[in-house]
Amino acid sequence: MKINRILLSAALVVVALVVQVSVLSRLQLPGAVPDLVLLTVVALALVYGHVSGALIGFGAGLLSDLAPPADHAVGRYALVLCVIGYVAGLFRPEKGQLRSATGPMAVVVAAAIGTTLLYAGVGALVGDTAARHVGLGFLLFTAALYDLLLAPFTVPAIMALARRAENDPLAETGTATDVSTGWLSSGTGLRIGAQRSGLRVKAARSRASRAGRIKGVKRL
């Protein structure tokens, strides 16, 4: 991974984890908890691809395993987010550009459901049966609902930051293109068109003034 990817991903994951632990985990919502760390991993994977998504997911999951008040075995959430980051990266849009929000929202819902199922499955293997007492079906529904409601406020912003970092001069060629590039190019085209139209107007005015002068000379 490029150094700009590592720095940006680490900063975003740390911020997401702090908000997750200090705010979202204390909301006491029924069922699951909105997972900002998961949304961060998904957003970065949709820009960077499956390999970087898996690495970012593993790092984010490992930090979540170590952050208090974690009550599960270390490595459990790292494994889950590693798989989710890899799978989400497979759905990276062509050239990193989004044509609609439907695709990312579908990936968010699938990631929320997949994370809950994988986490419960790994927990069952190590003897953690907490999901059975709450109800797996209710956990799946609330996880998908909460993450889907939170995604529009986080995923687009994170993806925009990731694309902007990819447009750094040190970034590899052929990486994701920022939408602002298209805006700048279109803006340049508009300026050129305006200049051309202005020159045409000036030329027409000069022709009209010359024609008026010629007519005045003929009348004299």
Side-chain angles (χ1 to χ4, degrees):
M1 292 176 64
K2 285 289 186 179
I3 187 64
N4 57 339
R5 289 189 181 186
I6 297 174
L7 294 177
L8 179 63
S9 300
L12 291 175
V13 167
V14 169
V15 172
L17 183 59
V18 170
V19 175
Q20 180 76 36
V21 174
S22 60
V23 179
L24 298 179
S25 298
R26 300 184 180 183
L27 293 179
Q28 296 182 352
L29 296 173
V33 176
D35 198 338
L36 184 58
V37 176
L38 170 64
L39 295 179
T40 302
V41 171
V42 170
L44 293 174
L46 288 174
V47 177
Y48 294 149
H50 58 282
V51 176
S52 297
L55 295 175
I56 294 170
F58 179 80
L62 188 60
L63 287 178
S64 300
D65 290 332
L66 297 174
D71 56 352
H72 55 269
V74 176
R76 179 177 173 184
Y77 203 50
L79 174 61
V80 172
L81 284 189
C82 180
V83 175
I84 294 299
Y86 182 88
V87 175
L90 296 176
F91 294 92
R92 177 190 178 191
E94 184 179 359
K95 297 181 180 180
Q97 294 181 338
L98 294 175
R99 297 181 179 178
S100 66
T102 305
M105 293 301 103
V107 174
V108 167
V109 174
I113 295 175
T115 301
T116 306
L117 288 175
L118 286 174
Y119 189 81
V122 175
L125 293 177
V126 297
D128 185 1
T129 59
R132 298 180 182 178
H133 301 290
V134 180
L136 184 58
F138 185 63
L139 281 177
L140 292 174
F141 174 75
T142 53
L145 178 63
Y146 296 154
D147 290 346
L148 186 61
L149 292 176
L150 185 60
F153 303 99
T154 56
V155 173
I158 294 172
M159 294 183 69
L161 287 175
R163 289 199 189 97
R164 189 175 297 274
E166 284 296 275
N167 285 331
D168 191 272
L170 298 178
E172 296 178 355
T173 58
T175 53
T177 304
D178 192 2
V179 181
S180 60
T181 304
W183 290 345
L184 291 175
S185 61
S186 63
T188 305
L190 289 176
R191 294 192 194 100
I192 294 173
Q195 292 174 358
R196 290 178 178 174
S197 62
L199 292 175
R200 290 175 183 173
V201 171
K202 291 180 180 179
R205 289 178 179 175
S206 63
R207 289 187 196 130
S209 62
R210 288 177 185 175
R213 292 174 185 173
I214 294 173
K215 290 180 180 179
V217 172
K218 289 182 178 180
R219 288 176 184 176
L220 293 175

